[in-house]
């Protein structure tokens, strides 16, 4: 078994850092499993949204209320942030120096925060228009699914902020590297969930 | 005395939330029972604290147990938790039987509302805080030893799981003393558990206790699965693993995928209750059926989460005490995996009567009957394992035999329930109650007790008393049949479950028999505790220092009992199934290692206990609407996790000389032990060194 052999799905460190690579196998695999478990939660919320589409009780549905343009811009922001995080991971893997890694992480964090700010503005517009989650089941399921993704992004941003402290503190040591790999998976996972949200929730609302 | 005491600080807590105050104002038997239960909790807690203080053991407990991340200690703590919670839930079960036996055209001993709390806590505790901790503890202790690993993949996460479960169990206990518990049953069906019908704190206690417990279980499942996939010793291929590891793997996979639906269901119910969402309300587009589907999407795999580890224990026990290789190992593995997959395809049979079409019911009914097939395969495999073996009727073996007979009976009534037209007749009756007790008592409890007797000498270095074990076993079996067979009759006769008062005098004799059965079950529990007490007192006579009291087959028996914290002085290499049994026969067991090396072990951590306390405090605050405490608790959780990520010094080294010293000391005891034949294994001659016929 060569050291460079892939030990887990995603970016492996075998080419550049064998010692961390040896340890990363079970750590990253464990995180994949966590993500799968988390994916079940989202899947169930999608299903709930699907079955509650008609539960409007004479009130507005989420599809009547959200605006597609900001959602589209949010999609672009989040996809871009996944790219920038990818750049941070690549820089970390190939030892491009702390500053490069940090720079890409800061950009990612900024994009993440931008996404959250826009999303919060969307929600407040909806709420100001009277589309509260307590209005009907349709809105309840919308406000469980989409903000849960937002909450994940917020957790990701907090995690990024912590890593922004840890990278200068400890340098790119074993634990920092493994943590960045995990954060990367988390961040890309949120992207995938958002793509599902954009398609199933937002675009579906357009075709009715 | 009415109204909230201090809404800003104590939320909606009132003086009348305390059962003592209620009993003082209104001393009915019902309130006195409530206050009495609360007193037991308070006095028990105070007594435990006083005892630990008097013995000066706080330091020891904190350093050697509470902050430990050693999988063996965590496993033992889980099992202790399970026994404590089991004691409460058994008493509640007995109380319910007493109520139904006395409430025939009479009010009985407790009020209907109190009775509803009893069946809700009994069910919730037995599933989430007895069964789950018991099997999680058993897996924790045994599985890493069996696959030849030094620990689980994520030791700290393991401690966090334990303390989340502990915190959740704490919430259950607090609900006895402050406020009241849910009256909505263990499944907490809305809309009844919505604010409209249950505005009290009960469902909130249920929501947060179950949520914490389910998060803990998800994390445990993740931990075990990664451990099995990644931490097996050299040569331990998947198909060489002891069957207990296979059932652990399947249970873990089920935990990973089946606990999230529960978390989603309870979280949605919480959103309904706290923020006015409309997931499951009767009005404004809510749909209770979503809850039923989500809950049972968890609930049915949960049945197999509970039963599979017990299947694993039986496989180990039957094989060991028959001195034979497990018959049909491969078919057992396939059956276990099939059960795990099929368990996700049958959830709808929990609500055949709730409105779907006959064809959907038929599909799920057929799937349900089909899942009996792999289970049947297992039963035959165990029987064939015993066939022509040297069967010894030790206590674990007695439980295994009782299981095989009783479980098949329960399976047959399961087939009846799986048939939708028959289910329409007996659903929501005591027939169902009898059925699931008939599955879970042999299918979980007997298995865990068999495992407890089987691995106890490994964990503590001495055997449990055989006589008291047999007595407890007899009580569990006789008590079970007396308590639950009458319920089949009553259910078939139409007696609804969860009935606080009965108006059909013809039910009386059956209810009396069931009541006697319940008392015998209580005696069984007492016998277990007496057995533990007696065994501890006689421990010197029953030591099995050499570590192999039963002529065991797996790697766990190849080391000292109790094992050192790093388990194996040198990680083993295996070349087949039943590695230790084979190497004893080949004469290459107990070979001293060529050299000893430093071993890195994880340091203790306060993170687990802290997260447990903070999350329980948050849950409590949410129950009582003490918003400041809830926010504080959540912040404390986040800060703890972040602070931990900055701690770099997380491991320490056990030096090679220390490892050598401990190993040689054990080897001295081993070679001083007398090897014994299997006829003598339940006598004091058993020092844990098995005689091997050449």
């Amino acid at each position: 078994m060569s050291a460079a052999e892939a030990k887990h799905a995603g970016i492996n460190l075998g080419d550049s850092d064998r010692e961390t690579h040896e340890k990363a196998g079970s750590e990253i695999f464990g995180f994949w499993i966590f993500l799968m478990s988390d994916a079940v939660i989202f899947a169930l919320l999608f299903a709930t949204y699907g079955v509650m589409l008609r539960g409007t009780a004479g009130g507005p549905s989420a599809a009547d209320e959200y605006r597609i343009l900001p959602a589209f811009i949010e999609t672009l922001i989040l996809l871009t942030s996944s790219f920038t995080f990818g750049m941070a991971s690549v820089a970390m893997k190939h030892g491009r120096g702390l500053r490069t890694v940090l720079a890409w992480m800061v950009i990612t964090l900024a994009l993440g925060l931008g996404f959250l700010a826009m999303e919060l503005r969307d929600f407040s517009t909806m709420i100001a228009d009277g589309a509260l989650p307590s209005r009907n089941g349709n809105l309840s399921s919308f406000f469980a699914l989409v903000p849960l993704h937002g909450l994940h992004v917020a957790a990701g941003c907090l995690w990024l902020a912590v890593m922004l402290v840890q990278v200068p503190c400890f340098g790119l040591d074993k634990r920092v590297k493994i943590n960045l790999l995990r954060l990367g998976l988390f961040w890309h996972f949120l992207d995938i969930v958002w793509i599902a949200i954009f398609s199933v929730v937002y675009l579906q609302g357009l075709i009715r | 005395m009415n109204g909230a005491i201090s809404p800003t600080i104590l939320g909606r807590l009132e003086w009348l939330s305390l059962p003592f105050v209620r009993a003082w104002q209104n001393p009915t038997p019902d309130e006195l029972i409530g206050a009495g239960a609360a007193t037991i909790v308070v006095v028990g807690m105070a007594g435990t604290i006083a005892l630990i203080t008097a013995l000066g053991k706080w330091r020891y407990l904190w350093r050697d147990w509470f902050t430990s991340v050693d999988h063996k200690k965590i496993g033992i703590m889980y099992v202790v938790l399970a026994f404590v919670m089991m004691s409460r839930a058994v008493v509640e079960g007995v109380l319910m039987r007493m109520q139904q036996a006395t409430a025939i055209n009479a009010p009985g001993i407790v009020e209907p509302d109190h009775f509803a709390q009893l069946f809700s806590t009994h069910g919730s505790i037995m599933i989430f805080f007895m069964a789950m901790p018991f099997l999680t503890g058993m897996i924790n202790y045994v599985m890493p030893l069996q696959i030849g690993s030094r620990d689980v993949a994520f030791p700290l996460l393991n401690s966090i799981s334990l303390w989340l479960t502990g915190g959740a169990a704490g919430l259950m206990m607090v609900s006895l003393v402050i406020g009241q518990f849910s009256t909505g049953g263990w499944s907490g069906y809305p809309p009844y558990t919505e604010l409209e019908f249950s505005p009290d704190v009960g469902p909130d206690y249920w929501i947060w206790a179950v949520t914490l417990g389910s998060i803990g279980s998800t994390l445990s499942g993740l931990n075990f699965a990664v451990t099995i996939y990644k931490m097996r010793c050299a040569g331990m291929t998947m198909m060489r693993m002891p069957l207990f590891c296979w059932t652990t793997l399947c249970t873990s996979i089920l935990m990973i995928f089946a606990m999230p639906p529960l978390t989603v269901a309870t979280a949605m119910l919480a959103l309904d209750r706290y923020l006015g969402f409309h997931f499951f309300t009767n009005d404004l587009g809510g749909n209770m059926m979503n809850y039923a589907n989500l809950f049972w999407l968890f609930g049915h795999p949960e049945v197999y989460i509970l039963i599979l580890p017990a299947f694993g224990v039986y496989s180990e026990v039957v094989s060991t005490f028959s001195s034979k290789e497990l018959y049909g190992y491969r078919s057992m593995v396939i059956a276990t995996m099939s059960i795990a997959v099929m368990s996700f395809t049958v959830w709808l049979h929990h609500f055949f009567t709730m409105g779907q079409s006959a064809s959907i019911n038929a599909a799920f009914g057929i799937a349900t009957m089909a899942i009996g097939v792999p289970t049947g395969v297992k039963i035959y495999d165990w029987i064939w394992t015993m066939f022509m073996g040297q069967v010894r009727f030790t206590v674990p073996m007695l439980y295994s035999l009782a299981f095989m007979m009783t479980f098949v009976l329960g399976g047959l009534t399961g087939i009846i329930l799986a048939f939708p037209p028959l289910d329409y007749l007996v659903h929501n009756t005591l027939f169902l109650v009898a059925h699931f007790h008939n599955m879970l008592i042999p299918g979980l409890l007997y298995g865990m007790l068999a495992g407890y007797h089987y691995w106890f000498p490994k964990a503590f270095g001495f055997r449990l008393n055989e006589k008291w074990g047999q007595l407890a076993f007899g009580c569990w079996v006789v008590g079970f049949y007396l308590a639950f067979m009458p319920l089949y009759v009553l259910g078939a006769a139409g007696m609804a479950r969860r009935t606080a008062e009965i108006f059909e005098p013809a039910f009386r004799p059956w209810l009396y028999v069931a009541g006697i059965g319940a008392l015998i079950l209580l005696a069984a529990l007492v016998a277990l505790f007496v057995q533990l007490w007696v065994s501890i007192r006689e421990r010197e006579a029953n030591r099995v220092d050499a570590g192999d009291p039963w002529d065991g087959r797996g790697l766990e028996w190849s080391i000292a009992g109790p094992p050192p914290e790093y388990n194996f002085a040198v990680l083993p290499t295996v070349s087949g199934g039943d590695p230790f049994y084979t190497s004893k026969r080949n004469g290459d067991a107990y070979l001293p290692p060529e050299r000893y090396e430093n071993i890195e072990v994880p340091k203790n951590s306060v993170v687990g206990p802290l997260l447990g306390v903070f999350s329980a405090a948050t849950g409590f605050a949410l129950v009582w609407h003490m918003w400041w405490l809830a926010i504080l608790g959540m912040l404390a959780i986040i800060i703890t996790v972040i602070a931990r990520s900055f701690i770099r010094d997380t491991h320490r080294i056990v030096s090679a000389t220390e490892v050598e010293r401990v190993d040689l000391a054990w080897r001295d005891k081993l070679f001083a032990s007398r090897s014994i034949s299997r006829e003598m294994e339940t006598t004091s001659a058993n020092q844990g060194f098995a005689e091997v016929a050449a």
Side-chain angles (χ1 to χ4, degrees):
Chain A
M1 196 195 279
S2 81
E5 194 181 319
K7 283 205 180 292
H8 52 82
I11 290 189
N12 275 245
L13 299 178
D15 304 327
S16 53
D17 181 352
R18 289 182 170 217
E19 208 185 322
T20 307
H21 185 58
E22 284 302 314
K23 210 172 161 352
S26 55
E27 306 260 325
I28 303 295
F29 178 62
F31 199 73
W32 271 106
I33 291 184
F34 164 74
L35 290 181
M36 285 196 280
S37 199
D38 208 16
V40 174
I41 290 183
F42 278 108
L44 295 169
L45 287 172
F46 276 113
T48 308
Y49 183 73
V51 297
M52 296 194 95
L53 270 180
R54 278 187 253 165
T56 51
S61 72
D64 298 333
E65 291 296 324
Y66 52 63
R67 313 263 179 277
I68 194 70
L69 185 65
F72 181 62
I73 298 172
E74 283 157 35
T75 310
L76 293 182
I77 292 179
L78 206 62
L79 289 180
T80 313
S81 80
S82 231
F83 171 73
T84 56
F85 199 102
M87 293 307 286
S89 306
V90 173
M92 172 195 73
K93 174 174 176 175
H94 294 293
R96 288 284 181 276
L98 292 189
R99 295 175 68 98
T100 323
V101 177
L102 283 172
W104 284 115
M105 284 167 65
V106 169
I107 298 172
T108 311
L109 179 60
L111 289 168
L113 292 174
F115 171 87
L116 280 179
M118 281 196 72
E119 189 172 49
L120 281 177
R121 213 187 50 134
D122 287 357
F123 293 154
S124 57
T125 328
M126 285 179 75
I127 287 168
D129 291 349
L132 290 140
S134 51
R135 178 63 189 82
N136 59 38
N138 174 294
L139 285 161
S140 294
S141 59
F142 174 86
F143 275 102
L145 171 59
V146 184
L148 181 70
H149 173 268
L151 205 61
H152 275 72
V153 175
C157 287
L158 181 63
W159 191 352
L160 252 174
V162 171
M163 293 317 290
L164 279 174
V165 179
Q166 290 201 348
V167 171
C169 254
F170 304 115
L172 290 172
D173 71 0
K174 212 184 286 180
R175 264 179 70 189
V176 167
K177 278 187 173 176
I178 289 177
N179 247 333
L180 282 177
L181 287 182
R182 279 194 280 227
L183 177 52
L185 291 179
F186 187 65
W187 201 263
H188 303 314
F189 167 74
L190 294 184
D191 232 29
I192 294 170
V193 173
W194 179 260
I195 290 170
I197 289 179
F198 189 67
S199 323
V200 173
V201 176
Y202 287 91
L203 291 182
Q204 187 201 218
L206 290 184
I207 58 172
R208 283 185 306 140
Chain B
M1 292 291 274
N2 282 320
I5 304 166
S6 163
T8 38
I9 300 174
L10 295 177
R12 51 175 164 163
L13 190 71
E14 303 173 6
W15 287 115
L16 282 176
S17 306
L18 303 175
F20 311 109
V21 179
R22 290 201 296 267
W24 180 262
Q25 284 200 339
N26 181 23
T28 59
D30 177 65
E31 291 293 358
L32 288 175
I33 289 174
T39 312
I40 292 172
V41 175
V42 173
V43 171
M45 202 65 202
T48 314
I49 291 172
L51 188 69
I52 296 171
T53 313
L55 296 172
K57 289 285 186 190
W58 280 111
R59 223 183 137 69
Y60 162 75
L61 273 181
W62 179 256
R63 206 185 42 205
D64 281 21
W65 291 91
F66 294 167
T67 59
S68 174
V69 296
D70 178 349
H71 72 96
K72 298 183 289 301
K73 288 187 171 164
I74 289 175
I76 291 168
M77 285 189 276
Y78 264 118
V79 174
V80 170
L81 177 69
F83 271 113
V84 171
M85 298 309 280
M86 175 158 66
S87 311
R88 172 177 165 190
V90 165
V91 171
E92 286 171 341
V94 172
L95 210 51
M96 282 189 284
R97 288 279 124 253
M98 295 303 112
Q99 165 72 11
Q100 290 196 331
T102 52
I104 303 161
N105 283 324
I109 46 181
V110 293
E111 302 284 326
D113 187 68
H114 195 162
F115 186 75
Q117 285 185 54
L118 284 174
F119 65 66
S120 304
T121 44
H122 173 80
S124 305
I125 289 178
M126 281 301 195
I127 300 289
F128 295 109
F129 304 110
M130 188 288 278
M132 293 297 272
F134 214 146
L135 68 93
T136 311
M138 199 71 78
I139 291 173
N140 244 314
Y141 197 95
V142 175
M143 181 269 289
L145 296 177
Q146 286 193 329
I147 61 170
S149 169
R150 295 210 195 281
D151 208 326
V152 292
F154 306 108
L156 177 62
L157 189 68
N158 203 11
S159 159
I160 293 171
S161 298
L162 166 73
W163 284 97
L164 287 179
T165 312
L171 272 184
M172 294 295 299
M173 296 312 275
V174 167
S175 76
L176 262 186
V177 185
I178 306 174
Q180 55 168 349
F181 199 71
S182 171
T183 51
W186 84 278
S187 50
Y189 271 9
Y192 177 72
T193 47
E194 292 281 1
L195 273 189
E196 193 184 351
F197 304 104
S198 304
D200 55 279
V201 295
D204 298 322
Y205 267 122
W206 180 82
I207 287 174
W208 299 117
V210 166
T211 305
L212 283 187
S214 71
I215 294 172
S217 297
T218 312
L219 298 176
S220 289
L222 185 161
N223 215 338
F224 297 149
V226 178
T227 307
I228 292 181
Y229 280 123
K230 297 285 184 182
M231 312 265 291
R232 281 167 287 128
C233 69
M236 182 63 80
T237 58
M238 294 297 266
M239 291 308 282
R240 286 176 185 168
M241 292 196 305
L243 206 88
F244 182 73
C245 295
W246 271 105
T247 58
T248 296
L249 179 62
C250 291
T251 281
S252 310
I253 293 172
L254 292 181
M255 283 179 179
I256 294 162
F257 291 110
M259 300 314 287
L262 176 65
T263 312
V264 169
T266 55
M268 284 178 171
L269 187 58
L271 285 173
D272 277 7
R273 288 180 62 87
Y274 283 79
L275 296 173
F277 280 45
H278 290 284
F279 284 112
F280 314 125
T281 53
N282 281 337
D283 56 348
L284 293 176
N287 187 349
M288 181 276 163
M289 284 314 295
N290 285 341
Y291 183 91
N293 278 293
L294 285 172
F295 186 84
W296 292 110
L297 203 51
F298 143 78
H300 202 85
E302 167 73 8
V303 173
Y304 293 97
I305 292 176
L306 301 179
I307 286 177
L308 286 179
F311 284 179
V313 173
Y314 295 132
S315 303
E316 302 294 310
V317 164
V318 170
S319 167
T320 301
F321 291 110
S322 304
S323 290
K324 259 186 75 188
E325 187 187 354
L326 184 66
Y327 182 88
Y329 174 88
R330 192 171 287 271
S331 68
M332 281 283 209
V333 171
I334 296 171
T336 309
M337 271 293 176
S338 316
I339 290 174
V341 173
M342 289 162 85
S343 72
F344 282 102
T345 65
V346 299
W347 81 90
L348 201 127
H349 69 213
H350 293 272
F351 45 95
F352 275 148
T353 59
M354 280 162 77
Q356 38 307 309
S357 72
S359 16
I360 292 181
N361 278 355
F364 279 88
I366 292 166
T368 305
M369 293 182 211
I371 210 167
V373 174
T375 316
V377 168
K378 282 168 170 277
I379 297 277
Y380 284 115
D381 279 342
W382 289 314
I383 293 173
W384 280 111
T385 306
M386 290 187 290
F387 181 65
M388 302 281 279
Q390 292 178 30
V391 180
R392 287 103 68 192
F393 295 100
T394 55
V395 176
M397 196 62 183
L398 292 177
Y399 279 114
S400 307
L401 292 168
F403 151 79
M404 284 181 229
M405 287 173 250
T406 316
F407 194 78
V408 168
L409 211 62
L412 290 175
T413 62
I415 298 291
I416 295 175
L417 285 164
F419 190 55
L422 283 176
D423 184 71
Y424 265 84
L425 295 177
V426 287
H427 89 100
N428 212 30
T429 66
L430 286 180
F431 192 88
L432 172 73
V433 176
H435 164 70
F436 67 69
H437 283 89
N438 197 344
M439 300 315 275
L440 286 177
I441 289 182
L444 174 103
L445 184 66
Y446 289 1
M448 291 301 113
L449 291 176
Y452 163 73
H453 285 82
Y454 180 57
W455 281 302
F456 188 92
K458 176 51 58 184
F460 296 99
F462 58 92
R463 285 182 306 106
L464 284 168
N465 182 288
E466 201 77 8
K467 281 259 149 46
W468 280 99
Q470 287 163 352
L471 184 70
F473 161 79
C475 289
W476 280 119
V477 173
V478 173
F480 165 77
Y481 278 97
L482 287 181
F484 293 102
M485 292 300 132
L487 302 198
Y488 278 124
V489 180
L490 289 168
M495 180 172 160
R497 67 191 291 204
R498 298 176 172 172
T499 308
E501 212 178 319
I502 293 101
F503 302 101
E504 173 53 70
F507 292 163
R508 188 186 303 270
W510 300 106
L511 287 168
Y512 280 179
V513 174
I516 293 168
L519 289 174
I520 297 176
L521 288 176
L522 184 64
L525 182 70
V526 173
L528 272 186
F529 285 121
V530 174
Q531 180 202 31
L532 185 61
W533 175 255
V534 170
S535 307
I536 292 174
R537 285 185 46 158
E538 295 171 345
R539 64 188 177 279
E540 291 309 328
N542 293 317
R543 286 230 175 261
V544 288
D545 296 317
D548 180 25
W550 316 122
D551 192 8
R553 311 180 76 85
L555 290 175
E556 78 268 34
W557 303 108
S558 69
I559 49 177
E565 68 167 320
Y566 42 80
N567 297 349
F568 299 93
V570 171
L571 284 180
T573 304
V574 302
S575 53
D578 290 338
F580 182 55
Y581 191 80
T582 318
S583 61
K584 277 184 286 187
R585 267 68 194 166
N586 294 341
D588 56 6
Y590 303 122
L591 290 183
E594 284 165 24
R595 65 197 177 93
Y596 296 90
E597 282 175 7
N598 288 346
I599 295 172
E600 194 186 52
V601 293
K603 276 188 172 175
N604 283 12
S605 172
V606 296
V607 171
L610 282 183
L611 288 184
V613 169
F614 292 151
S615 51
T618 308
F620 182 76
L622 288 170
V623 168
W624 290 101
H625 296 182
M626 302 174 187
W627 307 123
W628 63 273
L629 183 59
I631 293 168
L632 220 60
M634 285 185 225
L635 281 178
I637 291 169
I638 295 171
I639 290 169
T640 309
V641 172
I642 293 179
R644 162 72 193 186
S645 75
F646 279 88
I647 295 175
R648 286 339 230 198
D649 177 25
T650 55
H651 286 76
R652 67 190 165 79
I653 300 289
V654 181
S655 71
T657 43
E658 171 67 8
V659 175
E660 181 171 13
R661 189 187 63 75
V662 172
D663 195 49
L664 292 181
W666 168 61
R667 282 170 195 285
D668 285 345
K669 280 186 189 165
L670 175 69
F671 297 125
S673 305
R674 206 157 52 86
S675 69
I676 51 122
S677 65
R678 289 304 97 203
E679 287 79 44
M680 291 157 79
E681 69 186 345
T682 53
T683 67
S684 290
N686 189 349
Q687 294 173 295
F689 190 24
E691 182 180 270
V692 178

